[in-house]
Amino acid sequence: MSITYLEAIREAQYEALRSDPSVFLYGQDIATFGGAFKATKNLSREFPNRVFDSPISEDAMIGMAVGAAVEGARPIVEMQFADFSSIGFNQIINQAATLYWRTNVPCPITIRMPSGGTAGSGPFHSQSMEAIYAHYPGLVIVTPATVEDAYWMLLDSVEINDPVVFCEHKFLYYHLKADRIGDRELPIGKARIARPGRHATIVTYSAMVHEALRAAEELQLDGYQIEVVDLRSVKPMDTDTILASVARTGRLLALGEAFPWGGVTAEIIARVTTEGFHLLDAPPMRLNSKDTPIPYHPNLWKAHRPTTATIAAALRTLLRH
Amino acid sequence: MALASSINCAETDLTADFRDQFLQTFQHMMLSRVLEEKLGSLYRAGGRIVGGVYLGKGQEAFSAALGIQLRKGKDVYAPLIRDQAGRIAFGEPIIDTVRTYLGAVTGPMRGRDGNIHRGRPKEGHMAMISHLGSMLAVASGALFARRLAGTLGDSVGATSIGDGGTSTGAFHEGLNMAAVEKLPMIVSVANNQYAYSTPNTRQYACENLVDRAAGYGVEGVTVDATDLASCLKAFRAAVARARSGGGPQMVVGTLLRLSGHGEHDDASYIPDKARHAPNARDCLQVAEEFACAHGWMTPAEVRELHEEVRRTVDQTVSKVSKEPTPDPYKENWQALSCAELVEGQYKA
Ligand SMILES: Cc1ncc(C[n+]2csc(CCOP(=O)(O)OP(=O)(O)O)c2C)c(N)n1
């Protein structure tokens, strides 16, 4: 028996609905249809009064979740694509993110965002929004890269008393499988050493963890041991684990699939250079997608985002320094 | 004046001019249907089409009846997901469609964006984004600027939306703004009963979608969207009212979507009962029967037309298949029109 990343997300929602009557699910096509990606398949059958189809109204969907949370509910809202959360942006950053700070009333909502690119998806069905939301105080931004994290971090997200933007990667939905889901290990906010090494550190998250691991394998053939740090949540960001890794390797590549300007990779580098400048043997590098909207044609899409090949090339440059 | 009414086509409306427009629109519908069938089969065969395929089967009459009223180069058209027929009627060549679906660099989107998102904005043909509801305001903006510049004349703008899209804030804000500005906008709402899998009962609680119009002081009509003659009559009237200063017009068409949301979707959520209801008729068949019953075409002529259209589609697809797809090394990766402002590209 094996379980995919997508099934883990479904199972976590099943478990959240089963164990906590205050949890409900709201989103477009998520009830009988089971969601555009089938992440809620059969859940409305098992919990007929707690899984609802919403109108195409992202702003209202998120505002509604905030109001429900005030009343003690723990809603999980599915954005059909992360890209469409931009319609609910105001409710996310002004309503959900500020509620606790302004009123001392917590806002336990989880917004599921199918994120990242897949071939042929084009500029409006491929975006990674984590950096945008991480910019705003009052939000937790989760970016699972493994089947186990998809499961446990979704359950954690529902349990914590703050708004969580849960960035699940569409590419991993079907591509990633695990034999079974192990025990809960790390809490949200703790990074994981996905691969130990001593010559350079890649700090990354979500689907790019897997590209980074493949690039690390490629460099092993040249005799280099590359350490890969999987952030797991970009906010809170586990600076201690990053710095400890850079202390071991002396070299840093910050890697992300999102657009290059600002963002998570910029934040990683800012932290390492301000808090760990003395640990660096070479200028830190970063690798992101290109600074254009996300292209439709696979030829362009593959060249737009970092891949094993471009990561390996970046590492070689970093190691030569 | 009643704000909402229902449009039917009476025998007295059937002037020679109407007949010509009917037949022309019927041809566009046929071309659209055959083209979409081809795209669907290419998608199922795999390998050629980049990304998803979204078809307008069953919506050709409603879509083309609007497109045919617009004057390319003068009016503004912002079509949406199921408007292949309207695009053809407006004057978009089908090679633009094929090139976009196949991601050819020769197409209007050059492989950068795909399928239904194409357009040529400088020719008044707006290129939709996925975010539903957002095109109404953009089309209005084009008219607004023309009014400022004194070039509006009698041009109109038109855009489409589905029943689901009318639930977005952008739709409501856009409609309200167009009404406040008294812009000559035609908003066609294809009420095909399902937004992806979501039935109308989970999408809106008013009895008739056209009631949305009255709330904004906009004139609205409902039409049987499976009936080309009624659709033509409704859009002719709406466009005429908008052209002559009547402000935004809403036309709601009732029908059933006869395909999946996209070709990846088998639409199994649509119950058999809905499929056999009167508004689930195939508009193409209805139009054909109408034309034959009035002696405007013979069944043999319809078959001939079908053959001719099929040849056109096949030729277009085989031509585009040989055209180049984008090369990432030749791409300039430039998202700004001012090259000197693109970071990392400045060369003194
Ligand atoms: C703001 C926004 N949210 C979600 C989506 C995803 N989506 C694409 S099409 C669709 C259903 C649209 O239904 P409707 O407007 O009725 O048009 P139809 O497809 O039935 O023609 C949805 C939910 C989107 N495109 N935009």
Side-chain angles (χ1 to χ4, degrees):
Chain A
M1 237 223 23
S2 72
I3 176 166
T4 64
Y5 183 89
L6 181 67
E7 286 160 354
I9 288 166
R10 183 203 169 275
E11 286 303 314
Q13 291 178 104
Y14 174 86
E15 181 53 26
L17 285 161
R18 193 195 59 77
S19 60
D20 183 348
S22 63
V23 171
F24 72 86
L25 269 52
Y26 200 52
Q28 291 150 25
D29 304 291
I30 68 162
T32 319
F33 192 59
F37 297 101
K38 302 294 170 197
T40 56
K41 193 175 165 194
N42 295 334
L43 293 180
S44 75
R45 210 169 60 201
E46 294 176 70
F47 305 96
N49 300 316
R50 287 157 67 201
V51 181
F52 307 98
D53 282 331
S54 73
I56 306 178
S57 309
E58 285 80 3
D59 183 288
M61 287 157 68
I62 293 162
M64 198 257 227
V66 173
V70 169
E71 289 295 312
R74 307 186 87 84
I76 304 176
V77 180
E78 176 180 299
M79 297 283 106
Q80 206 156 72
F81 284 83
D83 310 64
F84 298 129
S85 72
S86 59
I87 310 288
F89 187 62
N90 174 44
Q91 300 284 19
I92 298 174
I93 64 141
N94 290 318
Q95 199 85 261
T98 68
L99 186 74
Y100 174 71
W101 191 80
R102 290 189 302 129
T103 67
N104 210 30
V105 172
C107 185
I109 71 175
T110 301
I111 309 171
R112 284 187 37 237
M113 298 212 187
S115 303
T118 50
S121 293
F124 314 113
H125 290 79
S126 308
Q127 293 174 86
S128 300
M129 312 287 283
E130 61 276 353
I132 296 283
Y133 294 115
H135 186 70
Y136 288 89
L139 299 170
V140 174
I141 320 294
V142 172
T143 50
T146 66
V147 174
E148 300 204 339
D149 276 347
Y151 181 82
W152 287 118
M153 293 177 92
L154 183 48
L155 278 175
D156 289 344
S157 302
V158 177
E159 276 166 28
I160 68 173
N161 263 344
D162 284 296
V164 177
V165 177
F166 188 86
C167 304
E168 52 198 57
H169 202 291
K170 299 198 295 290
F171 187 76
L172 301 181
Y173 275 167
Y174 314 101
H175 282 85
L176 209 58
K177 273 198 182 88
D179 293 336
R180 57 179 200 93
I181 291 175
D183 294 334
R184 199 185 217 132
E185 275 175 3
L186 294 171
I188 287 177
K190 276 270 165 251
R192 174 178 71 98
I193 307 293
R195 177 190 173 105
R198 54 199 172 85
H199 296 112
T201 295
I202 305 179
V203 178
T204 188
Y205 58 98
S206 194
M208 281 296 140
V209 169
H210 303 280
E211 299 287 341
L213 288 171
R214 276 192 286 276
E217 245 162 63
E218 207 176 301
L219 267 90
Q220 190 171 12
L221 303 176
D222 303 354
Y224 293 111
Q225 306 295 329
I226 307 298
E227 182 148 310
V228 178
V229 176
D230 170 9
L231 286 176
R232 300 176 68 250
S233 62
V234 302
K235 191 178 191 177
M237 186 181 282
D238 184 356
T239 315
D240 291 347
T241 298
I242 299 172
L243 286 171
S245 175
V246 174
R248 282 191 288 278
T249 65
R251 285 178 159 79
L252 169 68
L253 172 64
L255 169 68
E257 178 179 333
F259 299 127
W261 207 98
V264 177
T265 54
E267 186 64 30
I268 295 164
I269 292 192
R271 289 180 190 213
V272 170
T273 48
T274 52
E275 296 172 45
F277 192 69
H278 58 286
L279 306 172
L280 289 165
D281 297 330
M285 278 180 85
R286 69 184 180 129
L287 190 58
N288 282 86
S289 74
K290 293 189 192 298
D291 193 24
T292 74
I294 298 161
Y296 169 71
H297 199 286
N299 291 353
L300 298 180
W301 177 71
K302 282 186 217 129
H304 185 263
R305 69 201 266 278
T307 56
T308 304
T310 57
I311 298 164
L315 283 170
R316 290 202 172 93
T317 309
L318 179 67
L319 287 161
R320 262 200 305 275
H321 210 96
Chain B
M1 172 186 50
L3 275 177
S5 58
S6 187
I7 295 283
N8 280 308
C9 196
E11 290 295 315
T12 48
D13 297 322
L14 306 179
T15 58
D17 157 61
F18 185 88
R19 181 199 62 200
D20 291 348
Q21 191 172 69
F22 185 102
L23 291 176
Q24 212 184 339
T25 314
F26 177 63
Q27 292 192 12
H28 295 322
M29 289 166 62
M30 177 86 89
L31 178 57
S32 177
R33 177 69 60 88
V34 171
L35 171 63
E36 292 203 331
E37 275 164 1
K38 181 78 179 181
L39 292 169
S41 71
L42 284 175
Y43 176 83
R44 282 184 291 279
R48 301 273 284 287
I49 294 220
V50 182
V53 168
Y54 302 90
L55 304 184
K57 188 174 179 193
Q59 297 192 196
E60 290 95 342
F62 189 61
S63 179
L66 170 58
I68 197 95
Q69 315 302 335
L70 305 173
R71 302 162 307 182
K72 195 173 173 210
K74 282 191 179 153
D75 294 326
V76 173
Y77 185 37
L80 212 73
I81 177 167
R82 306 201 194 280
D83 279 322
Q84 178 58 48
R87 290 167 180 270
I88 292 174
F90 179 64
E92 182 189 57
I94 65 163
I95 199 162
D96 274 14
T97 309
V98 178
R99 282 172 166 159
T100 309
Y101 267 105
L102 268 55
V105 274
T106 42
M109 312 311 280
R110 299 160 292 157
R112 292 178 174 190
D113 202 353
N115 50 52
I116 49 180
H117 294 95
R118 65 192 182 276
R120 293 182 182 272
K122 277 290 166 207
E123 295 166 27
H125 179 179
M126 299 298 170
M128 63 172 274
I129 66 167
S130 292
H131 295 59
L132 293 168
S134 359
M135 296 313 290
L136 210 172
V138 173
S140 295
L143 302 174
F144 192 82
R146 289 181 190 186
R147 189 156 71 192
L148 282 179
T151 58
L152 182 62
D154 68 347
S155 55
V156 298
T159 189
S160 310
I161 192 97
D163 37 276
T166 68
S167 300
T168 60
F171 172 79
H172 290 268
E173 293 184 20
L175 187 59
N176 183 55
M177 195 190 69
V180 166
E181 300 296 344
K182 251 192 158 323
L183 291 166
M185 274 295 304
I186 291 93
V187 181
S188 83
V189 180
N191 188 356
N192 62 22
Q193 304 179 58
Y194 287 86
Y196 209 155
S197 78
T198 304
N200 285 167
T201 50
R202 292 293 305 170
Q203 199 64 245
Y204 59 88
C206 54
E207 201 164 321
N208 299 305
L209 264 192
V210 74
D211 296 344
R212 295 240 192 289
Y216 296 105
V218 165
E219 211 169 329
V221 295
T222 299
V223 64
D224 173 356
T226 65
D227 176 26
L228 175 59
S230 301
C231 292
L232 285 170
K233 185 180 171 195
F235 281 118
R236 274 183 159 198
V239 170
R241 284 193 298 269
R243 279 205 207 286
S244 58
Q249 308 289 321
M250 186 192 282
V251 180
V252 178
T254 38
L255 75 154
L256 180 75
R257 165 153 58 71
L258 299 183
S259 63
H261 166 63
E263 284 302 275
H264 56 275
D265 169 29
D266 65 6
S268 53
Y269 44 81
I270 300 181
D272 272 355
K273 201 167 129 239
R275 293 180 200 268
H276 293 110
N279 55 13
R281 298 187 302 172
D282 181 343
C283 63
L284 201 69
Q285 232 169 304
V286 175
E288 178 183 333
E289 281 161 21
F290 191 94
C292 292
H294 287 82
W296 294 349
M297 279 185 102
T298 64
E301 282 169 338
V302 174
R303 275 196 302 278
E304 234 168 83
L305 172 67
H306 190 263
E307 264 313 293
E308 185 193 315
V309 156
R310 212 180 41 74
R311 273 194 303 275
T312 309
V313 167
D314 286 346
Q315 277 161 10
T316 308
V317 170
S318 78
K319 176 177 159 63
V320 174
S321 297
K322 293 177 208 103
E323 292 180 346
T325 51
D327 177 347
Y329 298 102
K330 289 185 185 149
E331 183 74 23
N332 68 6
W333 297 106
Q334 187 179 311
L336 292 173
S337 63
C338 302
E340 70 278 15
L341 298 180
V342 176
E343 290 186 0
Q345 304 237 334
Y346 181 72
K347 295 192 184 63

